[in-house]
Amino acid sequence: MDSTYQIQPEEFEILIVEDSPTQAERLRRLIQSKAYRVRVALNGQLALALIREQKPDLVLSDIIMPEMDGYELCRTIKSDPALRDIPVILVTALNDPKDIIRGIECGADNFVRKPYAEDYLLSRISHMLLNLRLREGPAVEVEAGIALYLGNQKHFINAGRQQILDLLISTYEQAVQVNSELQARERQVIELNMRLAHHAAELETINREIALKNLELAEASRMKSAFIANMSHELRTPLKAIIGFTGALLMKLPGPLTPDQDKQLNTIRSSARHLLSLINDILDVAKIEAGKVTLALERVQCQDLLNHTADTLRPLAAQKGLALTVELPGEVIVIDSDRRALTQIIINLVNNAIKFTDQGTVKVALSQRLDASQLLTEFSVTDSGSGIKPEDQSKLFQAFSQLDSTSTRHAEGAGLGLYLCQNLANLLGGNLYFTSDYGTGSTFTLALREKR
């Protein structure tokens, strides 16, 4: 820039009028960083007092303030012949054309739009002070004004041509700046839309891959079910033959047996029965997971079912020296359920209790009560075994889960019993839950609800 049109900031004093101490301090630091001298007033009345005490070279004022707003302050300055040559810059949001008209009407020299860029604010201050230096000389009085209407209101403009020109230029610059910002935002929106389109294409590709994988999983599940069904049939047939032939031999139909032969045949039969039970469990789980289990509901007399189950398993408990007891209510309890599924759950629970109890008692109990307008029938199996550690309880109903503890390490099983029981309970519309104290024992309860 030509030195003729340069200013020395230290020669100028700027009065900041801002009611927010935080904003006032921010402006003070910014303007002082360019070597201007600065004073601060927190409202229009205080600003007037400071102006009359010592005339500043420029006033930078907010508009919305208590006691006296920026428009009134500017009007007061411009109506005083001794002060009217002080340039006034108003800081405004410029949200309404009336802001510009009111600024011109009160005699403002320039606008700065909120939120402002610091570089732009400093350039406007420098521009106004440079114009002030260029205009130094005899003051020109404006005798006549211009009346105009905007928004059904009459405004009287009494500003000089240079003031109006400065205001229009600053307003135009603000409009250009806003337009540049809008164009930048538009470019950002276009870029964002392109990214979204790219992500949408990626999601569509992923969805197609997921759909394909789902078809593959469904086919694999179908093949697994077919394989399990075929293998179960192929294995169960010879196992049943083994169990039948060993039974015949143990009945000594072909002839007498030595003690060793009797022992070995019992071992064979026991192992075959265990393997057959495991195959049946696997087949039942596969049917449940494939949704191929069909319930046959009928009237089930609960006391008879529990007595029959206890009579079936009592010899197994006696082999371990355990007492198997049944506690039944005096009133007969009859429910609508699938007899086979219900029996399978009770047998599994009682069998587990016997398996994991080394001494003491296994108790089977039945109760019925009214709960939230529904009949709640509860079948519970309580044992005096070792119980379940708290950290192992969350794994109890998982498939193929076997708890590794000293009291259960020797027990046979594939870890499917409770998983199967829970799935059957869900099919029956019931709930299977348990409580356990490690070192004391456990209670497993099957709860079935029936509307009254």
Side-chain angles (χ1 to χ4, degrees), residues 3 36 106 137 148 171 213 242 293 348 354 386 395 411 448:
S3 59
Y36 293 107
C106 71
L148 59 84
T171 304
K213 292 296 182 184
I242 291 171
V293 176
N348 266 314
I354 295 172
S386 60
K395 301 180 291 185
L448 299 178

Side-chain angles (χ1 to χ4, degrees), residues 418-444:
L418 288 175
Y419 176 73
L420 178 60
C421 287
Q422 187 183 54
N423 280 278
L424 287 173
N426 291 337
L427 284 174
L428 294 175
N431 183 31
L432 181 62
Y433 60 93
F434 73 96
T435 58
S436 182
D437 292 323
Y438 184 63
T440 302
S442 306
T443 298
F444 286 80

Side-chain angles (χ1 to χ4, degrees), residues 225-266:
S225 298
F227 172 77
I228 290 175
N230 291 333
M231 289 301 298
S232 298
H233 179 268
E234 295 297 327
L235 288 172
R236 283 197 293 182
T237 300
L239 278 173
K240 287 180 178 179
I242 291 171
I243 294 170
F245 282 126
T246 53
L249 289 172
L250 287 169
M251 291 173 65
K252 302 177 183 179
L253 296 177
L257 299 173
T258 66
D260 285 342
Q261 290 173 335
D262 187 277
K263 180 179 179 181
Q264 290 167 2
L265 285 171
N266 273 300

Side-chain angles (χ1 to χ4, degrees), residues 199-233:
H199 289 317
E202 289 182 344
L203 284 174
E204 187 176 352
T205 302
I206 293 171
N207 286 335
R208 285 197 297 267
E209 292 176 355
I210 291 173
L212 182 61
K213 292 296 182 184
N214 285 336
L215 290 174
E216 293 175 357
L217 286 172
E219 178 61 16
S221 177
R222 186 193 65 78
M223 294 177 65
K224 180 198 74 171
S225 298
F227 172 77
I228 290 175
N230 291 333
M231 289 301 298
S232 298
H233 179 268

Side-chain angles (χ1 to χ4, degrees), residues 298-303 331-337 366 368 375 377 450:
E298 59 179 293
R299 300 293 287 172
V300 178
Q301 215 268 36
C302 297
Q303 281 92 335
E331 183 180 351
V332 175
I333 295 177
V334 180
I335 62 173
D336 291 319
S337 188
L366 173 67
Q368 190 176 67
L375 276 178
T377 305
E450 187 176 5

Side-chain angles (χ1 to χ4, degrees), residues 74-131:
C74 181
R75 185 176 292 105
T76 303
I77 292 172
K78 296 301 182 180
S79 63
D80 188 332
L83 305 177
R84 66 188 309 170
D85 60 331
I86 301 174
V88 178
I89 299 178
L90 296 178
V91 182
T92 175
L94 280 178
N95 290 328
D96 192 319
K98 292 180 182 179
D99 293 341
I100 300 174
I101 297 301
R102 292 185 67 185
I104 297 175
E105 188 178 32
C106 71
D109 295 270
N110 218 309
F111 283 115
V112 172
R113 184 179 61 88
K114 286 183 179 180
Y116 53 81
E118 293 181 350
D119 290 343
Y120 179 77
L121 175 63
L122 292 172
S123 72
R124 296 313 305 164
I125 292 173
S126 175
H127 172 79
M128 292 304 302
L129 292 174
L130 180 60
N131 280 346

